[in-house]
Amino acid sequence: MQKKSIILLILLFLGAVYFFLFWPINSLGARDQIMISIFEPDEFAQYSHPLRMLDQPGKTLNQSIYRFTAYQHYYYGYPFYFYSAVALLPLKFISGLDNTAYNMLFLRQLVSVLPMIAAVMLLVYLQTRFQSYLRSIFLFIFLLTVPAVFRNNTWWHPESLVFLFIVLTFYFLYKDDLSFGKCFYFSAIACGFAIATKLIGLFFFITIPTYILLGVYQGRINFMKAVKSSIIFVVLMAITFVACSPFLLFASERKAAFNIQLRQSEAMSDGFVLSYAKGPAAWFSLIDNNYAQPLFLLASLVSLGIGIAKKETRLLSLLIATWSIPFMLYLLFTVVIKPKHFFIPILLPVFSTLPFLFDAVWPRTFRLVKANLVKFVLLAVTLVVVLTQVIYNFNFDAKHYLAELNKEKDSQAIQFYEKLDEIVFSKISADDHLVIFRDVHTYVKDLPRWDVKYRWGLYDYTVIKNTNADVLILWKQMLYDYTQAGAAERALDQIKFSEARRFYNDALNHNVEGYHLIYQDDFGFAYISVALYDRYFK
């Protein structure tokens, strides 16, 4: 058996071990749909849509097609929701989709963990060609243990899927090797899938022209063929995007998607409720804690530069640089919302160039110490920097895994609910149909006799009045954040913020109009309507 085949088998085995490592924790925190929101509000916002696609067929074929394609949550693309629905199909046929824990297990494993393993394996192949056991295995393990990657594997989100399409774009361009044949056009299809999943695929806007100009510069393609290839690439990419976005066939859904993306773009550059800091300094701690310590990040950038300087690694390194740098600058200087996963498709390709740095500092012989003194010093420094990062990664991953394993037991939101159930809900007649308003970060058991309502973002007396809630369950941190000194000055909508702030101050001062404080702890407040209080607790 050839070395490449053996290395592939080893990586497949390690990938399988890694995949099942997440199995015990990825069904936790999901006893019911409401519980999802206290750990990952994004998952909660997404969860109903693939279920509706599978469980609510229309009366006619056209209605069924509409419901399966017009998924409504246009923050992310149709490939993400289509693949998520496909991931749930085995459960639908075997046991139905009533078990939230099983549903979330399949979604997290198949939509987050599996595509990430595939993307990293393909990235390792691009950098090592599976020619070295040590390099291939080390790089594979290292990339999968980057803290942001490990954390990303414990929730259901499109990051892994779009990253796979991005790496596939790299793969086909690299395989094409400036020949502008079928692999070049396969890369257009992969890029179209990336854009259809998340619009970040558009950041290939420098990579593709650079690739084409490089072909012209090296004489691999003439000007007329370059123009023709460019047009075909754009057309294929556009066709793929439209084919992967069937909701665009419906005018109402096109309008909804456009409006959602417009609001999302404004939020990314301004903030959701308050304005946030921009610039590299505001991102520093996130990158340091979740990706790389400063010295390792510097070493990775040097390695990328070495890859560009060397003829045999120049093409792939240029592809990575022209993709990563524009996207990185956009995030650093434009985006104010700072989720931990944003830099995964930027920094993982950069980290994958690490073998180039070892090539540069590795002495030709270990016998002539004096002649190779500089390289010995550089090698020692490189090893210390890399091993320090490896230790940090494993330490972070172990802590995060244990936290995920114990998150239900340690959850303040669940503990708050359990105490509230003991001292309040158990005293109220089961025949009373309660309307409960909750902050999305708080938990209340999903029971048929309760109508549980929530609101994203700010809420005030008008919202509470419109819900006609019997019980309010509020998260203290939310109240503190929006009533602290200086918050009002940073508000994007002064009028709405002022009304919300009035309600939050009343809640903190135990003086909510029409309600009586029934329970509080360090986590939250519970208010009950005066009418229910008089009936059961006065």
Side-chain angles (χ1 to χ4, degrees):
M1 186 178 293
Q2 293 182 347
K3 180 188 285 188
K4 289 184 179 181
S5 300
I6 296 173
I7 291 174
L8 175 60
L9 289 175
I10 292 173
L11 297 190
L12 287 172
F13 172 76
L14 292 175
V17 171
Y18 184 83
F19 178 83
F20 286 108
L21 175 69
F22 291 92
W23 196 273
I25 61 175
N26 272 343
S27 64
L28 299 178
R31 296 181 204 169
D32 53 46
Q33 186 170 343
I34 293 176
M35 186 177 284
I36 299 171
S37 70
I38 68 175
F39 297 109
E40 293 294 352
D42 276 16
E43 287 183 329
F44 176 70
Q46 298 160 187
Y47 182 68
S48 63
H49 303 292
L51 296 186
R52 186 180 61 255
M53 291 166 68
L54 292 175
D55 262 8
Q56 295 183 10
K59 294 180 181 179
T60 66
L61 178 61
N62 286 341
Q63 286 180 346
S64 297
I65 292 172
Y66 176 79
R67 291 185 179 182
F68 193 76
T69 55
Y71 58 98
Q72 299 177 2
H73 197 252
Y74 301 122
Y75 294 92
Y76 309 117
Y78 187 71
F80 169 62
Y81 280 105
F82 174 81
Y83 180 49
S84 296
V86 170
L88 291 175
L89 275 178
L91 288 176
K92 177 177 171 61
F93 292 133
I94 295 171
S95 59
L97 299 175
D98 295 329
N99 191 311
T100 305
Y102 287 166
N103 294 343
M104 291 308 301
L105 172 64
F106 271 57
L107 289 170
R108 290 165 180 164
Q109 290 291 124
L110 298 179
V111 185
S112 290
V113 183
L114 189 61
M116 181 59 70
I117 294 171
V120 168
M121 187 175 297
L122 192 57
L123 198 54
V124 170
Y125 173 76
L126 286 174
Q127 298 292 11
T128 68
R129 307 295 288 183
F130 293 169
Q131 292 177 347
S132 165
Y133 290 104
L134 180 61
R135 291 186 178 194
S136 301
I137 294 170
F138 171 79
L139 194 58
F140 184 70
I141 294 173
F142 179 82
L143 294 178
L144 288 176
T145 55
V146 169
V149 173
F150 199 88
R151 186 196 294 271
N152 187 71
N153 289 331
T154 57
W155 75 331
W156 164 52
H157 217 249
E159 254 48 52
S160 295
L161 198 60
V162 73
F163 183 52
L164 176 58
F165 293 138
I166 288 164
V167 175
L168 280 169
T169 305
F170 287 143
Y171 171 78
F172 286 121
L173 287 174
Y174 182 71
K175 191 173 177 63
D176 181 67
D177 193 25
L178 301 176
S179 67
F180 296 90
K182 61 182 180 181
C183 283
F184 178 70
Y185 301 119
F186 285 151
S187 73
I189 295 171
C191 187
F193 269 100
I195 297 169
T197 306
K198 282 187 76 174
L199 292 178
I200 64 172
L202 291 170
F203 280 94
F204 279 108
F205 74 96
I206 291 180
T207 304
I208 305 306
T210 300
Y211 183 86
I212 293 171
L213 289 174
L214 194 61
V216 174
Y217 175 76
Q218 293 187 6
R220 305 287 295 275
I221 187 174
N222 60 42
F223 178 77
M224 290 306 298
K225 188 177 180 182
V227 172
K228 180 182 176 182
S229 297
S230 302
I231 293 172
I232 295 174
F233 186 98
V234 172
V235 169
L236 275 175
M237 184 178 67
I239 290 173
T240 303
F241 172 78
V242 173
C244 292
S245 309
F247 63 89
L248 294 174
L249 295 173
F250 307 102
S252 60
E253 305 308 313
R254 288 198 302 272
K255 183 178 178 181
F258 177 80
N259 290 334
I260 286 174
Q261 285 298 320
L262 183 62
R263 292 198 303 271
Q264 185 75 349
S265 177
E266 291 172 351
M268 289 292 107
S269 59
D270 297 325
F272 286 115
V273 175
L274 305 178
S275 60
Y276 302 112
K278 291 183 181 180
W283 285 93
F284 177 81
S285 62
L286 184 146
I287 295 173
D288 184 33
N289 294 330
N290 294 278
Y291 291 92
Q293 296 171 324
L295 286 177
F296 182 84
L297 182 60
L298 178 61
S300 300
L301 293 174
V302 169
S303 187
L304 178 61
I306 293 171
I308 294 172
K310 293 175 63 178
K311 183 178 179 180
E312 59 269 27
T313 57
R314 183 171 298 147
L315 177 59
L316 181 58
S317 300
L318 275 174
L319 295 177
I320 291 173
T322 52
W323 152 261
S324 298
I325 293 174
F327 192 9
M328 184 184 299
L329 293 175
Y330 167 75
L331 292 183
L332 290 179
F333 292 98
T334 305
V335 174
V336 297
I337 305 300
K338 299 175 179 64
K340 297 177 177 65
H341 58 268
F342 270 14
F343 274 81
I344 287 176
I346 295 173
L347 290 180
L348 252 64
V350 174
F351 293 165
S352 73
T353 65
L354 201 60
F356 305 153
L357 180 59
F358 279 99
D359 284 340
V361 301
W362 199 266
R364 292 184 179 179
T365 175
F366 283 86
R367 293 180 180 179
L368 303 175
V369 177
K370 290 183 179 180
N372 293 282
L373 184 59
V374 174
K375 282 200 171 185
F376 272 109
V377 172
L378 291 174
L379 177 61
V381 171
T382 301
L383 286 173
V384 169
V385 170
V386 172
L387 289 176
T388 300
Q389 186 65 47
V390 168
I391 293 169
Y392 177 84
N393 289 1
F394 277 95
N395 185 52
F396 179 98
D397 296 349
K399 289 180 179 178
H400 183 69
Y401 192 90
L402 288 175
E404 289 291 312
L405 203 58
N406 295 301
K407 65 181 181 182
E408 290 185 17
K409 181 183 70 175
D410 296 339
S411 170
Q412 288 183 297
I414 295 175
Q415 293 168 7
F416 181 87
Y417 166 74
E418 290 173 347
K419 190 65 177 178
L420 189 63
D421 186 45
E422 176 188 338
I423 67 175
V424 178
F425 293 135
S426 63
K427 308 277 193 310
I428 298 176
S429 171
D431 294 329
D432 279 357
H433 182 81
L434 297 184
V435 177
I436 301 173
F437 177 86
R438 69 179 188 94
D439 186 290
V440 290
H441 296 89
T442 67
Y443 176 66
V444 57
K445 196 169 184 179
D446 193 2
L447 296 176
R449 66 187 181 95
W450 292 344
D451 185 7
V452 182
K453 299 183 178 182
Y454 63 93
R455 180 182 175 89
W456 297 104
L458 298 173
Y459 45 86
D460 53 25
Y461 276 112
T462 301
V463 173
I464 300 302
K465 182 179 180 180
N466 289 339
T467 62
N468 197 26
D470 299 299
V471 180
L472 310 178
I473 303 178
L474 310 176
W475 185 39
K476 278 189 174 180
Q477 190 60 52
M478 173 87 159
L479 309 182
Y480 292 145
D481 286 347
Y482 293 146
T483 55
Q484 64 179 317
E489 290 76 15
R490 294 165 49 214
L492 298 174
D493 188 322
Q494 292 290 334
I495 296 175
K496 287 184 179 180
F497 189 84
S498 176
E499 287 300 309
R501 187 183 177 94
R502 182 168 75 89
F503 173 76
Y504 296 159
N505 275 315
D506 285 354
L508 287 170
N509 293 322
H510 310 166
N511 190 33
V512 176
E513 298 170 11
Y515 293 87
H516 193 286
L517 179 66
I518 195 71
Y519 176 69
Q520 70 164 315
D521 64 9
D522 291 340
F523 172 80
F525 289 114
Y527 284 88
I528 191 169
S529 68
V530 171
L532 274 182
Y533 179 79
D534 289 343
R535 189 187 313 170
Y536 290 107
F537 299 99
K538 191 170 183 180

